[in-house]
Amino acid sequence: MIPIKEDRLLDTIESNQAEILVHVQQVRSDLTDWILCKTYKVNSRDYEITKEQELYLRYLRINLTPIVFGNHQCLDTYSRTFDKIIPEHKRKKGSDFIPFKNHLISLMGYEKLRSDKTSALFPKFFRELGIKVCVYCNSQLTVSVEDVNRKVVARFQVDHFVDKASYPCFSISFFNLYPVCASCNNKKGNKDVGFLLYTDEECKTLDSEYKFILDDVSIAKYRISRKVKDLLVTFNDNGHRLDEVFAIEGIYETQKDLAAEIIVKSEIYNETYKSSLQASFNRLYGKGKSSMNFSRFIVGNYAEPREIHNRPLSKFTQDIARQIGLIE
């Protein structure tokens, strides 16, 4: 729900560059073998690559490294060339692009990179990047429980900003990978939600365009009745379709009790009491990156906009807490 700086992603790419390049080299080698073989197998059925598909693979092999590392503008440029090689109407369901796409995604190693093993690149990469929570709904962690080879495992979830069904060539491009929860990943599909996670504009990383709001009248009703059902939560996504695609308001309708707790906290932690606590326990709240600031203690969650990727429900908690004056 809030972008992060491109530089932060690039730094994480750089720190994992050796491992990424080893994988890229393996993919390039596999692409070469596939082009020379001219055949492939999907679900026990043999296929021959068409001339268009061979051109697609050759272009991908030549440009694989900049495609894996390239930013949104770079991927947009490459997408136009891939569209010329295999136009959109030839990528529709029922075409020979479907088995080709499935085999290419497998060859690119997407599933291997997101596996449950501790050595898998994607989980390690995004832990280092500092994204633990779904970037769309902020309500769940970026792992899901799945059955893999008759074993129940927790697997990392990632969405493709440019969908991999249409552009399997970008299935392991880091700027195209968004850590998400399983629910949002399944719901989004190939829809465009217009949210860019990575940006080079500092101002966009300071605050979110999206806001949770408690209806003022409902707050007044709750203060009198103490009935959670009286609270009304709305979500403003500024026309970016997050609520339309992911039913954000429906998700957070279940969290009105959390909003009620924040209202009660605002009554307990008035300005006089907060000042007293800060003065009495000032040494507990340092100024380093690892220290817990006073606002975080008060709300029981991360309290700065740039920190919402650290824990579920932090965006909702922050917005309501600021609206009613619990934190600044």
Side-chain angles (χ1 to χ4, degrees):
M1 287 186 177
I2 189 171
I4 65 173
K5 282 279 289 179
E6 275 190 15
D7 290 347
R8 190 166 139 197
L9 177 65
L10 293 172
D11 288 344
T12 309
I13 289 173
E14 184 177 357
S15 68
N16 290 273
Q17 190 170 46
E19 186 176 352
I20 296 169
L21 288 174
V22 168
H23 184 80
V24 168
Q25 186 56 41
Q26 182 60 57
V27 173
R28 184 178 287 109
S29 176
D30 291 343
L31 285 170
T32 300
D33 292 344
W34 187 10
I35 292 168
L36 292 175
C37 181
K38 297 187 183 299
T39 62
Y40 61 102
K41 187 185 293 287
V42 175
N43 296 329
S44 301
R45 181 177 172 183
D46 293 318
Y47 295 88
E48 290 188 8
I49 59 174
T50 65
K51 291 182 179 180
E52 289 175 328
Q53 291 169 355
E54 182 177 345
L55 182 59
Y56 189 104
L57 295 176
R58 289 184 181 277
Y59 184 73
L60 175 58
R61 183 189 61 179
I62 292 170
N63 297 284
L64 184 61
T65 300
I67 284 174
V68 170
F69 292 103
N71 62 18
H72 290 295
Q73 292 78 15
C74 176
L75 298 184
D76 185 57
T77 299
Y78 281 116
S79 71
R80 289 194 287 271
T81 301
F82 283 114
D83 285 343
K84 290 178 182 178
I85 297 172
I86 302 182
E88 183 180 1
H89 71 275
K90 292 190 176 183
R91 303 196 301 263
K92 297 294 185 182
K93 289 183 179 179
S95 73
D96 57 7
F97 184 77
I98 307 301
F100 172 79
K101 173 260 298 183
N102 290 338
H103 188 69
L104 179 54
I105 291 172
S106 176
L107 184 146
M108 298 277 280
Y110 167 68
E111 287 297 331
K112 177 183 177 182
L113 292 174
R114 66 171 285 259
S115 78
D116 60 298
K117 297 179 181 178
T118 55
S119 60
L121 180 58
F122 286 169
K124 180 164 66 77
F125 181 90
F126 287 108
R127 278 197 301 269
E128 186 176 328
L129 185 61
I131 300 180
K132 306 174 188 176
V133 186
C134 178
V135 300
Y136 293 136
C137 73
N138 194 242
S139 67
Q140 299 185 61
L141 296 171
T142 56
V143 293
S144 64
V145 177
E146 300 177 17
D147 289 318
V148 179
N149 298 325
R150 299 182 180 180
K151 180 182 177 183
V152 178
V153 297
R155 299 192 73 181
F156 184 78
Q157 286 284 332
V158 64
D159 174 54
H160 293 80
F161 178 73
V162 179
D163 69 291
K164 68 180 186 295
S166 296
Y167 295 95
C169 49
F170 302 148
S171 60
I172 61 171
S173 299
F174 284 93
F175 272 81
N176 197 40
L177 304 175
Y178 287 19
V180 295
C181 66
S183 176
C184 286
N185 200 13
N186 293 333
K187 189 66 178 172
K188 177 177 174 288
N190 61 1
K191 302 180 186 74
D192 179 11
V193 296
F195 170 63
L196 286 178
L197 178 58
Y198 309 111
T199 181
D200 58 1
E201 298 180 46
E202 179 76 29
C203 60
K204 290 186 177 181
T205 68
L206 301 178
D207 199 6
S208 174
E209 291 185 78
Y210 313 101
K211 285 286 185 288
F212 290 100
I213 304 167
L214 278 181
D215 176 72
D216 288 336
V217 173
S218 77
I219 294 174
K221 283 184 178 179
Y222 173 77
R223 291 190 189 278
I224 296 170
S225 70
R226 295 304 190 194
K227 293 180 180 178
V228 172
K229 67 180 182 63
D230 287 338
L231 291 173
L232 176 63
V233 178
T234 58
F235 177 66
N236 182 4
D237 64 5
N238 281 308
H240 287 304
R241 301 183 64 225
L242 255 67
D243 185 55
E244 177 186 335
V245 175
F246 303 115
I248 302 292
E249 281 192 6
I251 293 172
Y252 284 89
E253 179 71 14
T254 67
Q255 300 301 313
K256 291 196 292 187
D257 58 331
L258 176 55
E261 290 174 15
I262 297 171
I263 293 172
V264 173
K265 282 183 178 181
S266 72
E267 297 168 353
I268 296 171
Y269 293 103
N270 57 43
E271 291 305 316
T272 301
Y273 187 35
K274 284 193 288 186
S275 297
S276 173
L277 285 173
Q278 283 185 290
S280 300
F281 302 101
N282 186 51
R283 284 186 294 178
L284 295 178
Y285 303 100
K287 296 183 179 179
K289 282 187 176 180
S290 62
S291 64
M292 183 190 299
N293 63 37
F294 189 69
S295 293
R296 179 177 162 191
F297 166 75
I298 292 292
V299 301
N301 207 323
Y302 288 89
E304 297 297 327
R306 66 179 182 277
E307 297 175 323
I308 69 169
H309 299 298
N310 291 345
R311 188 180 294 171
L313 305 175
S314 52
K315 172 63 173 161
F316 179 78
T317 303
Q318 289 180 26
D319 286 353
I320 302 306
R322 284 194 170 85
Q323 179 187 350
I324 63 176
L326 179 60
I327 60 176
E328 296 181 358

